[in-house]
């Protein structure tokens, strides 16, 4: 338990929350278990989980907590890139997303308890070129892991490219 607390505290070192800032987030299932897509031989086993994830992201957008989200749901974690809105700080947004999804996922599984690993990885994205790079990186994750041959074949993604204008 002490190791988990130290890990969580280390993840917060240097974290800041700035309205309008783009962030790349990675959040893992508890014990990095393959909970989001239980059967890789049958990708449809993750469909209900993705619907709940999509519902949570949609709520965050509708309530102006985030904008321009792009995401990839993997078997044991998710990646999310978004622009932070004005009403919640970064930790509150991720806490809201994870609290809602964990509750729904546990209801669906008819169990209670911890679903998500404590803490999350965050990266503040500093340039428009980096936003596109981060989005492409998260979308390519299932291909790099050998789960599909192309990103078009991965059903668990959200793609909302931000308006990118490159200054010269």
């Amino acid at each position: 338990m002490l190791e988990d607390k130290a890990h969580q505290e280390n993840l917060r070192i240097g974290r800041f929350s700035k309205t309008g800032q783009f962030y790349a987030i990675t959040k893992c299932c508890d014990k990095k278990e393959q909970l989001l897509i239980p059967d890789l031989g049958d990708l449809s086993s993750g469909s209900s989980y993705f619907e709940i994830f999509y519902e949570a992201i949609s709520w965050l957008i509708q309530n102006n907590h985030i904008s321009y989200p792009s995401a990839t749901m993997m078997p044991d974690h998710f990646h999310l890139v978004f622009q932070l809105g004005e009403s919640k700080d970064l930790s509150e947004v991720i806490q809201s997303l994870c609290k809602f999804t964990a509750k729904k996922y546990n209801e669906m599984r008819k169990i209670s308890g911890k679903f998500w690993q404590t803490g999350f990885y965050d990266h503040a994205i500093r340039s428009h070129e980096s936003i596109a790079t981060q989005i492409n990186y998260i979308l390519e994750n299932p291909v790099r892991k050998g789960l599909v041959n192309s990103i078009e074949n991965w059903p668990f993604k959200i793609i909302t490219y931000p308006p990118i204008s490159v200054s010269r």
Side-chain angles (χ1 to χ4, degrees), residues 1-91:
M1 195 61 143
L2 287 174
E3 186 176 305
D4 190 40
K5 184 175 178 171
H7 172 72
Q8 182 182 13
E9 289 171 358
N10 286 338
L11 291 176
R12 289 193 300 253
I13 293 172
R15 180 176 292 160
F16 69 95
S17 189
K18 181 180 175 188
T19 299
Q21 176 73 50
F22 276 88
Y23 291 93
I25 304 296
T26 301
K27 180 76 173 178
C28 297
C29 294
D30 189 38
K31 299 175 188 154
K32 296 187 181 179
E33 288 185 66
Q34 187 177 299
L35 300 174
L36 296 169
I37 306 169
D39 181 1
L40 290 177
D42 177 14
L43 289 182
S44 67
S45 69
S47 296
S48 297
Y49 291 92
F50 186 71
E51 287 173 20
I52 292 166
F53 183 69
Y54 189 87
E55 180 183 350
I57 297 293
S58 297
W59 183 87
L60 290 169
I61 295 167
Q62 291 164 4
N63 288 280
N64 300 312
H65 301 313
I66 66 169
S67 56
Y68 307 115
S70 291
T72 302
M73 186 182 82
M74 297 293 289
D76 62 351
H77 66 281
F78 70 80
H79 296 283
L80 175 62
V81 173
F82 63 91
Q83 184 176 33
L84 186 62
E86 295 180 7
S87 56
K88 288 185 181 279
D89 70 24
L90 179 60
S91 292

